Amino acid sequence: MIRVQVEIRLRKGVADPEGDNVTKALKLLGFSGVRGVHSAKRFLLDLDTKDAKAAKRDVEEMCRKLLANPVIHDYAISLVK
Amino acid sequence: MIRVQVEIRLRKGVADPEGDNVTKALKLLGFSGVRGVHSAKRFLLDLDTKDAKAAKRDVEEMCRKLLANPVIHDYAISLVK
C-alpha cells in the first residue's frame, strides 16, 4: 500500500474568505499580532499499489477529475513514508 | 514576520464522512485501487513577531481557543521557513 498526500491550496489572488474570517476571529480573541491566515485542504490517500510512480500519476488524475478545481486551486502531491 | 503552519486532523476513531465520500466518488470515477481517504485542514498563519517560541505558544493557544475542537481534532504546529 502506498500513502499519498495531496495539499489543495487556493491560487494566488483568489479570495480566501475562510482565512479572512479566521484572521478576524483571532483578532477579536485578542491575538493582535495576526497578519493573515491562509486556509488549505489536505487529503491522505491510501492506494492499493506498490508502484509509487503510477500512484502519483493516478493521484494527479484524481486531482484533475475530483479533488481540485483548476480555476481556483493549486495542488501539491507527495508520497508519505 | 513568522509563518506558522497548523495541521488539523481528525482523531483516530472519529468518523471522517468527507474522506469516506471522496473514497466513494473516486471509486465511481474508476479509481478502484483507493483503499481510503483521510481529510484534514491546514492553516498558514502570518504572525507579527520574530520570536519563534512565542509564535508557537500563541498558535497553540489559537488552536485551543478557535481552530481545533479537542473532542474530535488533533493538531500539529510547525514553523515554515
Side-chain angles (χ1 to χ4, degrees):
Chain A
M1 200 188 71
I2 283 180
R3 176 165 274 195
V4 183
Q5 171 177 291
V6 185
E7 191 177 300
I8 294 161
R9 298 175 287 245
L10 289 163
R11 280 180 188 276
K12 257 199 176 161
V14 174
D16 182 358
E18 184 179 7
D20 294 344
N21 280 319
V22 171
T23 307
K24 270 185 228 163
L26 288 172
K27 285 188 173 165
L28 285 173
L29 284 171
F31 298 103
S32 54
V34 181
R35 258 205 221 168
V37 177
H38 306 273
S39 69
K41 186 87 224 156
R42 206 213 50 187
F43 291 108
L44 284 181
L45 298 113
D46 292 332
L47 302 176
D48 243 344
T49 176
K50 279 175 182 167
D51 181 349
K53 225 171 162 182
K56 272 194 166 179
R57 204 172 44 227
D58 276 359
V59 173
E60 174 84 36
E61 207 185 326
M62 293 174 196
C63 286
R64 283 202 311 273
K65 287 193 174 168
L66 181 77
L67 303 174
N69 175 350
V71 178
I72 56 168
H73 291 141
D74 264 337
Y75 52 84
I77 298 169
S78 56
L79 289 182
V80 180
K81 258 107 215 168
Chain B
M1 198 188 72
I2 283 181
R3 176 165 273 198
V4 183
Q5 172 178 290
V6 186
E7 192 177 299
I8 294 161
R9 298 176 287 245
L10 289 164
R11 280 180 189 275
K12 258 199 175 160
V14 174
D16 182 359
E18 184 178 8
D20 295 344
N21 281 319
V22 171
T23 308
K24 271 185 228 162
L26 288 173
K27 284 189 174 164
L28 286 172
L29 284 171
F31 297 103
S32 54
V34 182
R35 257 205 221 167
V37 178
H38 306 273
S39 70
K41 186 86 227 154
R42 206 212 51 187
F43 290 109
L44 283 180
L45 297 113
D46 292 332
L47 303 176
D48 243 344
T49 175
K50 279 175 184 167
D51 181 350
K53 224 170 163 182
K56 271 195 166 180
R57 206 173 41 230
D58 277 358
V59 173
E60 174 84 38
E61 206 185 327
M62 293 174 197
C63 285
R64 283 201 310 273
K65 288 193 174 166
L66 182 78
L67 302 175
N69 174 352
V71 178
I72 56 167
H73 292 141
D74 263 337
Y75 52 84
I77 298 169
S78 55
L79 288 181
V80 181
K81 257 107 213 167

